[in-house]
Amino acid sequence: MRMTKGAFLKIAAGLIAGVTAGASAALAQGASLPEGNGKELVRSICQSCHDLSPIFTSGGFTRRDWEQVVESMINMGASIKPEEEKIIIDYLAASFPPKQ
């Protein structure tokens, strides 16, 4: 998968927004990951580098967007095994789709 500069900037902006006051508010309200296959992978792998606020405050993404987010995390050094990548993407796409 090759990510365009525009797509990367969109994803990066969404991730940066996750560290704003909105993220703090979401976490203060006890936001937690929804149940589903992949929940524990997301919790353990994503939290090994950052808190989960970028996920909660992202506004949701399409499956393709989540693929790009996960790919960018791998490119930045996230330790995600190939067999874990699909599980994580499936979970994020199902649990955090674009908000209408």
Side-chain angles (χ1 to χ4, degrees), residues 2-3 5 9 12 14 18 21 26-27 31 36-37 43 49 51-52 64 69 73 80 82 89 100:
R2 185 156 177 95
M3 188 180 325
K5 183 177 180 182
L9 292 174
L27 293 175
N37 183 39
R43 182 189 317 276
C49 295
D51 65 39
L52 299 178
R64 178 71 182 123
V69 169
M73 296 298 117
I80 299 173
I89 292 167
Q100 298 300 336

Side-chain angles (χ1 to χ4, degrees), residues 14-54:
L15 292 173
I16 291 168
V19 297
T20 63
S24 298
L27 293 175
Q29 294 173 5
S32 63
L33 293 171
E35 293 301 319
N37 183 39
K39 174 183 175 178
E40 292 307 316
L41 272 178
V42 168
R43 182 189 317 276
S44 64
I45 290 174
C46 298
Q47 280 190 316
S48 69
C49 295
H50 57 78
D51 65 39
L52 299 178
S53 61

Side-chain angles (χ1 to χ4, degrees), residues 50-80:
H50 57 78
D51 65 39
L52 299 178
S53 61
I55 295 170
F56 295 120
T57 62
S58 69
F61 289 127
T62 65
R63 178 177 182 75
R64 178 71 182 123
D65 290 336
W66 282 120
E67 288 171 352
Q68 292 177 338
V69 169
V70 172
E71 180 182 329
S72 70
M73 296 298 117
I74 292 168
N75 290 339
M76 289 189 276
S79 297
I80 299 173

